Amino acid sequence: MNNSFERLIEGMCTTLRAEVLPRMNDEYARSQVYGVINALNTFKLRAGWSAAFLTEQIQAQRAALAAARALAASAAGAPPVPELSAPPGPALDPVADLLATRDAGNQALGEWLAWLAAPGHGLGVAAAQALEQTLLAALRAELSIELKHSPRPLFAEMSGGAEG
């Protein structure tokens, strides 16, 4: 039976904490091991096998861009809304496809915000404010999702060489 990537990383971190750190007396070396544990925890959450956060970000972008299309339906010159879906057929690198899709969504959000900031977009004040809030909410959601899928940094441990 194969172990999951997450379980392999967890095993490495456990071994470093339980077997390596107790045998180290040098504070600098201990802080370096905590740095390695921190990097491994980041890999565990963000490696190619863990693409859930990209999917969440793309879903937030899709919702915001669909709302933008609805809010600006009658406005002339509104930017296009991309499909933001994975390319058809088997993907050679699904994470790269998700990254490209997420980046296309960010590009579209930026184009919508630039269009909204330019004079003559044809929306009323209330509609423009609602559209701006919708677009900014998608950007905030992306950051929130990034933070949710990031491990708590071990800065205290790295600087002091001891568990915090």
Side-chain angles (χ1 to χ4, degrees):
M1 179 170 155
N2 290 334
N3 284 317
S4 69
F5 181 72
E6 185 174 325
R7 186 171 177 185
L8 292 171
I9 295 292
E10 196 61 44
M12 289 182 230
C13 291
T14 299
T15 299
L16 288 170
R17 276 197 168 99
E19 302 297 331
V20 176
L21 284 172
R23 292 172 173 81
M24 297 182 76
N25 295 326
D26 181 51
E27 292 299 317
Y28 177 76
R30 289 176 63 80
S31 68
Q32 295 303 300
V33 171
Y34 281 115
V36 170
I37 292 169
N38 192 56
L40 287 170
N41 282 328
T42 299
F43 293 153
K44 177 177 67 176
L45 294 173
R46 302 180 61 106
W49 291 276
S50 301
F53 75 100
L54 290 170
T55 303
E56 289 179 52
Q57 290 173 333
I58 292 166
Q59 289 171 344
Q61 291 172 341
R62 283 183 185 143
L65 290 168
R69 179 186 295 145
L71 286 167
S74 63
V81 174
E83 183 64 31
L84 294 186
S85 63
L92 295 176
D93 186 353
V95 173
D97 291 343
L98 287 172
L99 284 168
T101 302
R102 195 244 353 240
D103 292 346
N106 280 337
Q107 179 70 32
L109 290 169
E111 289 171 6
W112 274 87
L113 286 167
W115 174 78
L116 192 57
H121 50 66
L123 297 177
V125 174
Q129 287 175 341
L131 177 55
E132 181 180 36
Q133 289 307 309
T134 298
L135 297 170
L136 292 177
L139 296 173
R140 284 188 209 97
E142 182 175 343
L143 292 174
S144 176
I145 292 164
E146 288 276 342
L147 291 173
K148 181 176 86 174
H149 290 281
S150 297
R152 185 177 76 71
L154 301 172
F155 294 132
E157 292 85 346
M158 285 186 266
S159 64
E163 289 276 352

